[in-house]
Amino acid sequence: METRVARYTIGQVVKHRFFPFRGVIFDVDPVFANTEEWWLAIPEAIRPRKDQPFYHLLAENAETEYVAYVSEQNLLPDESGDPLRHPLIAEVFSVGPDGRYRVRSEAAN
C-alpha cells in the first residue's frame, strides 16, 4: 500500500465536506487507525477509504465541541478566519498574531 503525504497540517483549520462542523488538526494518522467497529458504523454510501490520512480534530458545530476523526477525502480548508471556541485549544495551541494555531512546545510531547 502506497503511503500518501498528508494534504493538511497540524494547526490547520479545516471543515467537513458534508457535515456542518469545523476544527483544528492536532494529530494525523497516515492511514486509518481507529477500530473496525467505528469504521463499519459509518453508512456504506459515505464510508471513506482506509488508505488515506485521517485527522484528529478539536472540532465544533453550532451546538457543541468535541474530538473528531475524519478522513482526508472528507475535509476542506476553512478559509473563514473565524476563531474556534473549543476549550482544549488553549492547552494544545497558541494563537499567533496572524491567527494561526501553533502547537505549544509543552504539548508536543
Side-chain angles (χ1 to χ4, degrees):
M1 179 167 42
E2 180 183 332
T3 301
R4 296 188 8 218
V5 174
R7 180 180 301 158
Y8 304 110
T9 61
I10 292 175
Q12 187 172 357
V13 179
V14 292
K15 61 185 177 182
H16 197 279
R17 183 180 298 273
F18 302 111
F19 299 113
F21 71 85
R22 58 197 287 267
V24 60
I25 297 167
F26 69 90
D27 197 9
V28 183
D29 294 333
V31 294
F32 180 78
N34 207 328
T35 65
E36 189 70 8
E37 181 180 52
W38 183 93
W39 189 74
L40 291 172
I42 301 168
E44 192 171 352
I46 61 168
R47 192 177 297 151
R49 298 180 330 275
K50 292 181 177 181
D51 65 340
Q52 63 182 310
F54 275 73
Y55 299 83
H56 300 261
L57 309 178
L58 295 177
E60 59 189 54
N61 61 28
E63 293 82 41
T64 190
E65 301 83 32
Y66 52 98
V67 173
Y69 190 65
V70 186
S71 64
E72 186 169 274
Q73 76 187 58
N74 287 327
L75 290 176
L76 297 168
D78 182 293
E79 307 291 348
S80 70
D82 295 336
L84 292 162
R85 65 177 191 273
H86 197 291
L88 295 177
I89 287 175
E91 291 181 32
V92 180
F93 297 100
S94 61
V95 182
D98 58 0
R100 295 188 60 129
Y101 294 89
R102 292 179 180 80
V103 176
R104 292 183 177 277
S105 57
E106 62 272 15
N109 296 326

